[in-house]
């Protein structure tokens, strides 16, 4: 796959292609701001979520949208995590979409944002039992932090777990860490 904008390709357990592209489609008139559009395409080439796909943030767009990650849960739904600019900081967004293309999580509730802290480099791991583990970098020191989220978007762990105290610069966490779930998640 190739596009002139940021794109991600994910193949699900049913061999459908989940294609995510960065585009200007939802930008206000005359603005060059970005958002993610996602398509589900069957092995036969059918657009299962419609010809125009789904906008992950509705009619919102941002100066930057980066670092998209995708994970499929046991029920067949997909969890997406990415970052975008919010004023001078990076905000982490998440959404869960059903197999049929329905948005399942309240985006405002799932957002990690703080006017004094950036949240970057999301990494998703299937945590078993329709749960997902989100690993991300937090703050200017780039601490690596994890949170476990259940099927409904609720936190499983009472607080986020710090994995690493940072200080490694602007290197995406997935280039230096590996996550290996056990048989029980």
């Amino acid at each position: 796959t190739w596009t002139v904008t940021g794109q991600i390709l994910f193949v699900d357990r049913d061999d459908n292609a989940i294609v995510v592209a960065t585009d200007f489609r939802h930008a206000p008139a005359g603005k060059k701001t970005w958002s993610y559009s996602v398509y589900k395409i069957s092995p036969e080439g059918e657009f299962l979520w419609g010809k125009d796909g789904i906008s992950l943030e509705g009619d919102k767009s941002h100066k930057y949208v980066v670092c998209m990650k995708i994970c499929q849960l046991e029920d067949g739904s997909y969890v997406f995590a990415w970052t975008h600019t919010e004023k001078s900081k990076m905000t982490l967004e998440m959404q869960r979409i059903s197999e049929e293309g329905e948005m399942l999580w309240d985006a405002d509730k799932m957002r990690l944002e703080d006017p004094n802290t950036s949240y970057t480099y999301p990494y998703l791991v299937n945590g078993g039992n329709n749960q997902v583990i989100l690993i991300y970098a937090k703050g200017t020191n780039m601490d690596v932090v994890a949170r476990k989220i259940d099927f409904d978007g609720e936190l499983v762990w009472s607080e986020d777990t710090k994995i690493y105290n940072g200080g490694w610069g602007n290197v995406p966490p997935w280039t230096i860490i590996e996550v290996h779930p056990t048989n029980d998640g």
Side-chain angles (χ1 to χ4, degrees):
T1 180
W2 180 87
T3 65
V4 295
T5 60
Q7 52 85 25
I8 294 87
L9 177 65
F10 176 85
V11 178
D12 72 11
R13 66 179 183 211
D14 297 320
D15 293 330
N16 297 302
I18 305 299
V19 179
V20 185
T22 307
D23 57 31
F24 298 134
R25 180 183 333 183
H26 302 286
K31 296 251 182 182
K32 300 276 188 199
T33 51
W34 301 94
S35 62
Y36 279 121
S37 297
V38 60
Y39 304 84
K40 183 175 180 179
I41 304 168
S42 74
E44 297 75 35
E46 180 183 359
F47 283 71
L48 300 174
W49 291 345
K51 182 180 132 196
D52 294 326
I54 297 170
S55 171
L56 284 176
E57 291 190 83
D59 60 358
K60 296 179 185 174
S61 63
H62 308 278
K63 186 174 179 181
Y64 299 107
V65 290
V66 293
C67 301
M68 169 63 69
K69 292 295 172 197
I70 306 168
C71 179
Q72 188 173 26
L73 300 180
E74 289 83 358
D75 76 324
S77 65
Y78 309 88
V79 176
F80 298 82
W82 68 98
T83 58
H84 69 70
T85 52
E86 192 62 45
K87 298 187 175 138
S88 64
K89 297 294 180 188
M90 296 299 285
T91 297
L92 198 146
E93 300 287 332
M94 292 187 74
Q95 185 55 262
R96 184 172 143 248
I97 299 178
S98 72
E99 285 185 285
E100 296 76 28
E102 178 187 359
M103 302 275 202
L104 299 173
W105 284 349
D106 178 347
D108 292 333
K109 178 181 162 191
M110 300 306 299
R111 182 175 301 116
L112 291 177
E113 69 178 333
D114 182 318
N116 301 312
T117 305
S118 280
Y119 298 92
T120 56
Y121 300 120
Y123 182 81
L124 294 170
V125 178
N126 185 326
N129 197 30
N130 283 313
Q131 299 175 345
V132 67
I133 298 172
L134 168 68
I135 300 167
Y136 62 96
K138 179 179 179 181
T140 56
N141 197 39
M142 304 293 280
D143 293 339
V144 178
V145 182
R147 64 173 41 194
K148 193 170 190 180
I149 303 164
D150 74 10
F151 189 73
D152 296 316
E154 300 294 329
L155 294 179
V156 174
W157 298 334
S158 60
E159 59 186 46
D160 290 355
T161 301
K162 187 183 284 188
I163 298 171
Y164 181 70
N165 283 330
W168 43 271
N170 291 328
V171 179
W174 58 85
T175 65
I176 61 173
I177 63 172
E178 290 186 31
V179 179
H180 299 278
T182 61
N183 289 339
D184 62 356

